[in-house]
Structure formats: C-alpha cells, structure tokens
Amino acid sequence: FIVWGAMAFAALGTLALSLVPPALALWTFRSTLDGQWDFVYDDNHNFIDILELNWKNFRWYWEDGVLLGVYEPVALTLKAVAVHFVGFDAAAFHVIATVLHVVNAWLVFFFAWAFVSGTAGPALTGGERWKRKVGCAVGGCLFAVHPLTVQVICWLSCIPYMLSALFSQLGLLCVLSASRPGPQPTLARRAGGAALRVLSILLYFAAATSKPQGIALALVYVVVEYDGGARAARA
C-alpha cells in the first residue's frame, strides 16, 4: 500500500508539473480567445479561397496541394475539416491556434522528460528525478512564452507550423519509447516497439506534409535510435 501510495503521489506530482507550461501558455495568450479578429495578409488565400470541404478540393490537396509554393496536404485537409464545423470564423480559428500552442507546450514537458529520463537510465534517485522534472517544466515554460511563438499563434496562416510541431513531438515520443532500454525483450515488447516505430513513421509523414520543415525530423529520429541502441548495448 505504501509503495502504491508513493507511486501515485509521484505520478500526481509529475502531472501537476506537466500542466505548468500549458497553463502559462494559455494565460499568456488569453487575449486571443476574446478579441474581435479577422483574416489578414494572405489568410484569405490560405483559408477562404480553398478550404470548402468537397471531393474536388480534397483531391487537389493531395494531388497538388501546393499553396504559395508549399506542399502541405495534411494541414489543408485539417483546416478544411475545421472550416466545415466552425465556418470561416477568424475568432474560432484563433481559439484553435491557441489550443494547439497549449498542447504543444504540454508535450514539450513530456518529450523533455522522456529524453532526460531515458539518457540517465534507472539509477536516478528520487531527488535527482525531481530536479530533472522541474528542469523539463522550465523548458516547457520557456517554449510557452517565447516571443517567436507570437507570430504562429496570432497569424492564422501559420497554423500548419503548429500542426507540424504537434506531429513531430508525438513522433519523437514514440521513437523515444520504442528505443528505451529495458529488461530482456519479450515478443510482446518487440511487437510494441515495432508498433511505435510504425506510428512514428506515420506521424513523421503528417509533420512533413503539414509543413516541409518537418522533413528534418528524420535526422532527429536517426539520432534518437542510435542513442537508444548505444544505451541498450551498455546496459
């Protein structure tokens, strides 16, 4: 009972820490949720001109999908689905952009913790683990309020960047989980690792076709897999 209680307390503490970055992101950009917004600059071209959800447009997203010189069919498809439900409402899309940033800030904590806990191995003491978790929360907070995030949240045409970041972080979490050293691998563990790697490939595709910057994620995958293999060999 005491062991289970300690584990539950640690899990609740981790959850509480993980919620600090998204809460800070929401508070920082709260004004995006209650303002009177409109489409600006090239938003009309990115939204109103091409986002009616129909078969003709859907085929164009995937067969061509080049908008202002960029191929982003996943982002176009997801934006078209959003338009189908909320219409061409700039205020609603600002809510969507803010929610995406909040979720990304939350994932920064979990990605950072998955990375630092994996590289440290199981030998961390309780105090050392908490120090590292606090460091991960601080990193998430820096991401949440960094000035470079203002444009991608407040300019609706930049929503694909946040989609790419979302899929990238989810993919990296899959790769980190699959490559984490552990006890002697069983058939179930191998199957789980294979499933996570397949999912990471699908998420990589989604990231790269939301915004081409996601293509660079492949290099990070290679580094993480190599690091995981090296740690497994040392174990």
Side-chain angles (χ1 to χ4, degrees):
F1 178 79
I2 294 175
V3 173
W4 280 103
M7 291 174 62
F9 180 79
L12 287 173
T14 301
L15 178 62
L17 269 180
S18 75
L19 292 174
V20 174
L24 183 59
L26 184 60
W27 182 84
T28 302
F29 293 97
R30 64 193 183 281
S31 62
T32 63
L33 303 176
D34 56 13
Q36 297 298 316
W37 299 97
D38 201 354
F39 294 104
V40 297
Y41 301 117
D42 57 356
D43 285 345
N44 285 348
H45 189 59
N46 280 312
F47 283 83
I48 296 175
D49 294 344
I50 47 87
L51 285 184
E52 182 180 353
L53 188 60
N54 55 50
W55 179 246
K56 178 182 177 182
N57 280 348
F58 183 77
R59 284 188 61 185
W60 178 78
Y61 299 156
W62 290 92
E63 291 179 359
D64 183 355
V66 176
L67 189 64
L68 300 177
V70 179
Y71 180 67
E72 47 186 48
V74 167
L76 287 173
T77 302
L78 293 177
K79 287 192 294 184
V81 171
V83 165
H84 180 73
F85 287 102
V86 304
F88 293 105
D89 184 348
F93 272 93
H94 274 284
V95 172
I96 292 171
T98 304
V99 169
L100 283 171
H101 180 60
V102 168
V103 173
N104 277 327
W106 195 33
L107 287 176
V108 166
F109 171 87
F110 287 108
F111 166 65
W113 174 240
F115 182 78
V116 299
S117 62
T119 55
L124 285 176
T125 63
E128 192 64 31
R129 290 174 69 86
W130 275 106
K131 287 180 183 178
R132 296 195 179 212
K133 287 180 181 179
V134 170
C136 294
V138 170
C141 289
L142 290 175
F143 172 84
V145 301
H146 199 286
L148 287 178
T149 63
V150 173
Q151 176 177 316
V152 294
I153 298 166
C154 298
W155 187 5
L156 297 181
S157 289
C158 294
I159 283 178
Y161 289 100
M162 288 189 285
L163 288 171
S164 184
L166 174 68
F167 295 131
S168 295
Q169 292 197 87
L170 290 173
L172 283 169
L173 282 170
C174 288
V175 174
L176 282 166
S177 298
S179 62
R180 182 186 294 272
Q184 189 67 26
T186 62
L187 181 60
R189 182 177 172 82
R190 289 194 181 98
L196 285 171
R197 286 183 170 89
V198 170
L199 181 57
S200 73
I201 292 171
L202 296 175
L203 289 165
Y204 170 75
F205 174 79
T209 52
S210 291
K211 211 64 180 178
Q213 285 81 351
I215 293 172
L217 183 64
L219 297 176
V220 186
Y221 277 13
V222 171
V223 172
V224 170
E225 285 283 4
Y226 175 80
D227 178 68
R231 285 184 283 116
R234 292 194 301 267

